[in-house]
Amino acid sequence: NAGVMQNPRHLVRRRGQEARLRCSPMKGHSHVYWYRQLPEEGLKFMVYLQKENIIDESGMPKERFSAEFPKEGPSILRIQQVVRGDSAAYFCASSMRDRGDYEQYFGPGTRLTVT
Amino acid sequence: DQQVKQNSPSLSVQEGRISILNCDYTNSMFDYFLWYKKYPAEGPTFLISISSIKDKNEDGRFTVFLNKSAKHLSLHIVPSQPGDSAVYFCAAFDSGGSNYKLTFGKGTLLTVNP
């Protein structure tokens, strides 16, 4: 039973380019969460999605960041016009049930470096 | 404003002894708590959780204690093994909230010396 998959594992972008991070949830999971970890910090919630719906994007910067979870295919976190401050580890997590399942299972993360 | 705090950035223990990792929270709406373990260059791995209706939950070598009145929880690892060396994150959840996010502490780096 495959776990949460994320790709790429490492991504290097120059300032001003776009970064696309992909996440495939665990089989049977229909809820996806994105978190960001800055150096020496804990994980910070960005966005929660179900298939074709953004449920909560309260942790996502208002500009340059967007997320989607289409009916088919992986969830995508997109960062446009990246800046050095976007350098971080981005983790995707998934869970199965709606309420009552508080355990989120994490992927290996994508380490974004902006040069 | 940090709602979940892990005040010890690091902890070093000898193999076979007990490791105690601490976590404090400020939001009284949190009613479910989780511990995750993280190795470098990997994602967090779920370890153990506890609901606010309990004060203790045990799973093998891992036990989590919750003191609601003090808004404090701790993770005990007995006996500690070198493979337990990792960063441990405490996370909290408000099951009655309209969002689904976990709120994490900054983590404690545990080193278990052989």
Side-chain angles (χ1 to χ4, degrees):
Chain A
N1 187 17
V4 178
M5 310 284 283
Q6 287 187 251
N7 68 81
R9 294 291 306 274
H10 301 274
L11 182 61
V12 179
R13 285 286 178 267
R14 291 183 180 164
R15 279 180 297 171
Q17 290 186 320
E18 178 179 286
R20 280 190 175 223
L21 288 64
R22 293 174 183 77
C23 168
S24 296
M26 284 179 71
K27 189 175 181 181
H29 287 193
S30 57
H31 305 261
V32 166
Y33 317 79
W34 285 92
Y35 292 82
R36 177 165 69 174
Q37 184 183 23
L38 294 169
E40 310 301 323
E41 295 285 325
L43 282 74
K44 295 273 196 305
F45 169 81
M46 298 181 74
V47 61
Y48 161 52
L49 311 103
Q50 295 180 19
K51 286 281 187 183
E52 299 185 281
N53 280 308
I54 298 174
I55 307 301
D56 179 0
E57 56 183 346
S58 60
M60 203 144 73
K62 298 272 187 283
E63 296 178 354
R64 303 188 297 107
F65 285 73
S66 63
E68 62 177 11
F69 189 15
K71 188 176 179 182
E72 301 290 338
S75 175
I76 307 283
L77 179 67
R78 182 196 297 179
I79 312 171
Q80 295 178 302
Q81 299 174 335
V82 296
V83 301
R84 288 230 171 98
D86 297 332
S87 295
Y90 292 82
F91 293 97
C92 169
S94 70
S95 69
M96 187 167 60
R97 297 190 299 274
D98 193 352
R99 289 195 178 265
D101 181 2
Y102 313 128
E103 289 145 15
Q104 298 176 13
Y105 297 89
F106 285 81
T110 293
R111 274 141 194 90
L112 172 65
T113 302
V114 179
T115 62
Chain B
D1 179 32
Q2 222 184 331
Q3 298 186 64
V4 176
K5 297 179 184 178
Q6 294 177 256
N7 291 318
S8 297
S10 62
L11 174 68
S12 183
V13 300
Q14 284 299 120
E15 182 178 3
R17 308 294 284 266
I18 184 171
S19 295
I20 300 177
L21 297 103
N22 293 303
C23 177
D24 297 291
Y25 61 97
T26 57
N27 187 342
S28 57
M29 299 303 293
F30 289 145
D31 58 355
Y32 200 84
F33 304 91
L34 307 89
W35 284 94
Y36 284 84
K37 173 181 177 180
K38 185 179 180 303
Y39 292 118
E42 294 185 14
T45 302
F46 169 72
L47 263 181
I48 191 168
S49 61
I50 188 166
S51 164
S52 61
I53 62 173
K54 295 185 177 180
D55 54 20
K56 177 183 174 181
N57 188 25
E58 192 171 350
D59 183 0
R61 296 186 298 115
F62 302 91
T63 303
V64 56
F65 296 92
L66 175 63
N67 183 335
K68 276 183 64 179
S69 60
K71 293 192 178 70
H72 176 84
L73 61 154
S74 60
L75 174 68
H76 293 212
I77 307 173
V78 181
S80 302
Q81 300 172 354
D84 295 329
S85 297
V87 176
Y88 288 78
F89 289 100
C90 171
F93 187 82
D94 170 9
S95 68
S98 59
N99 62 59
Y100 296 79
K101 67 179 183 182
L102 293 175
T103 301
F104 283 84
K106 290 190 177 184
T108 297
L109 173 62
L110 173 66
T111 302
V112 180
N113 301 302

